[in-house]
């Protein structure tokens, strides 16, 4: 199965994409994680991406498209995956269509996890991420708090708030999301692949709605 998850930052798409990929045995392909890794390792891609990421802006299409295309053209390319955070612009969607076609891979579905802006701002302020690069588990003090405040349940490392999760940055990221999302959603709706799922409720309830929508 090959899917794309689209949703505003903090909609829970990362959590749902991770759950679904674990349970269905798909690769969780998150461009945000790949880029954060590149920044942490100070690679040339990371150096080019860093100023955009810390400002809450989108990294230029060419950098992100190159990362995705290289992975899909590699010897051990993934064939079953969930794209989380890519494509984010119409230019990325067109590039992705082209590389999928080139590789003879078809998309099964594009899931849009829809959550309103005010809810997003509230949720992001409560988001905490595990500092351990091998873990990177995320928590939300409103909906999924860690058992011990400030500590990861899985590996006991400290939790931190990502720099791009502060309210002003979130509003800017939401603005960018809305500017770009309309075009992408329209693109996949015209391909007949778009499924819209409301992103409210607890994690398992949203998961069940996604699975139900995919089964239709
Ligand atoms: P995320 O973890 O998906 O919220 O991504 C974190 C940051 O990485 C975003 O705010 C962007 O700066 C950058 N990023 C991730 N994916 C993309 C993408 N597909 N296009 C452009 N920038 C991206």
């Amino acid at each position: 199965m090959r899917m794309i998850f689209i949703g505003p930052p903090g909609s829970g798409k990362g959590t749902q994409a991770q759950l679904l990929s674990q349970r269905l045995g798909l690769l969780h392909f998150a461009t945000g994680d790949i880029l954060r890794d590149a920044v942490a390792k100070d690679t040339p891609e990371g150096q080019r991406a860093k100023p955009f990421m810390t400002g809450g802006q989108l990294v230029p299409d060419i950098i992100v498209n190159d990362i995705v295309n290289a992975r899909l053209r590699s010897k051990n390319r993934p064939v079953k995956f969930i794209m989380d955070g890519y494509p984010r612009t119409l230019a990325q969607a067109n590039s992705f269509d082209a590389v999928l076609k080139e590789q003879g891979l078809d998309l099964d579905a594009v899931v849009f996890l829809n959550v309103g802006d005010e809810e997003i701002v509230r949720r992001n302020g409560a988001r905490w991420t595990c500092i351990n690069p091998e873990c990177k588990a995320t928590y939300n003090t409103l909906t999924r708090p860690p058992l011990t405040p400030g500590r990861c349940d899985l590996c006991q490392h400290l939790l931190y708030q990502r720099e791009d999760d502060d309210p002003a940055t979130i509003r800017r990221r939401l603005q960018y999301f809305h500017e770009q999302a309309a075009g992408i959603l329209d693109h996949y709706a015209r391909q007949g692949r778009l499924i819209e799922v409301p992103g409210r409720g607890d994690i398992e309830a949203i998961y069940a709605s996604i699975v139900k929508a995919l089964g239709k």
Side-chain angles (χ1 to χ4, degrees):
M1 199 164 204
R2 287 176 286 276
M3 277 183 272
I4 295 174
F5 264 48
I6 299 176
S11 56
K13 75 175 159 49
T15 306
Q16 293 296 334
Q18 207 169 354
L19 267 186
L20 212 63
S21 53
Q22 277 166 4
R23 293 179 186 175
L24 303 183
L26 315 172
L27 172 79
H28 179 202
F29 198 137
T31 45
D33 285 347
I34 295 173
L35 287 165
R36 270 187 293 280
D37 235 44
V39 170
K41 290 182 182 140
D42 204 25
T43 65
E45 271 158 359
Q47 287 172 5
R48 286 166 72 197
K50 190 176 178 178
F52 299 97
M53 294 178 74
T54 44
Q57 282 172 283
L58 288 183
V59 171
D61 290 334
I62 186 155
I63 300 178
V64 191
N65 287 339
D66 280 355
I67 291 173
V68 172
N69 291 351
R71 187 79 174 86
L72 286 178
R73 288 174 179 149
S74 66
K75 261 200 190 131
N76 58 345
R77 63 169 198 172
V79 289
K80 299 193 288 179
F81 51 78
I82 298 180
M83 301 306 294
D84 171 7
Y86 181 92
R88 263 192 170 80
T89 66
L90 199 52
Q92 291 180 15
N94 286 323
S95 166
F96 196 46
D97 281 357
V99 76
L100 287 177
K101 194 170 174 199
E102 170 200 288
Q103 295 295 318
L105 302 171
D106 211 11
L107 266 184
D108 295 293
V110 178
V111 176
F112 173 41
L113 205 56
N114 196 358
V115 181
D117 285 6
E118 289 318 307
E119 174 69 10
I120 292 291
V121 172
R122 198 174 74 95
R123 282 191 200 176
N124 276 266
R127 185 152 80 158
W128 292 77
T129 304
C130 178
I131 204 164
N132 174 6
E134 305 292 309
C135 174
K136 290 188 279 195
T138 56
Y139 297 86
N140 187 298
T141 50
L142 298 170
T143 55
R144 195 168 70 137
L147 296 173
T148 310
R151 289 265 169 205
C152 180
D153 293 353
L154 304 177
C155 68
Q156 314 307 317
H157 279 74
L158 285 177
L159 303 179
Y160 75 109
Q161 286 206 287
R162 267 168 42 184
E163 218 175 301
D164 54 0
D165 276 342
D166 82 89
T169 309
I170 292 159
R171 288 196 188 277
R172 206 162 43 238
R173 291 172 75 202
L174 274 172
Q175 188 194 330
Y176 293 131
F177 172 75
H178 289 302
E179 279 169 16
Q180 303 294 349
I184 306 178
L185 296 176
D186 188 50
H187 177 84
Y188 289 117
R190 277 192 272 116
Q191 291 185 358
R193 294 190 164 99
L194 189 67
I195 294 168
E196 184 170 334
V197 180
R200 290 203 82 141
D202 70 38
I203 290 172
E204 288 298 338
I206 298 170
Y207 181 83
S209 307
I210 294 172
V211 171
K212 192 171 162 203
L214 285 171
K216 277 186 186 158

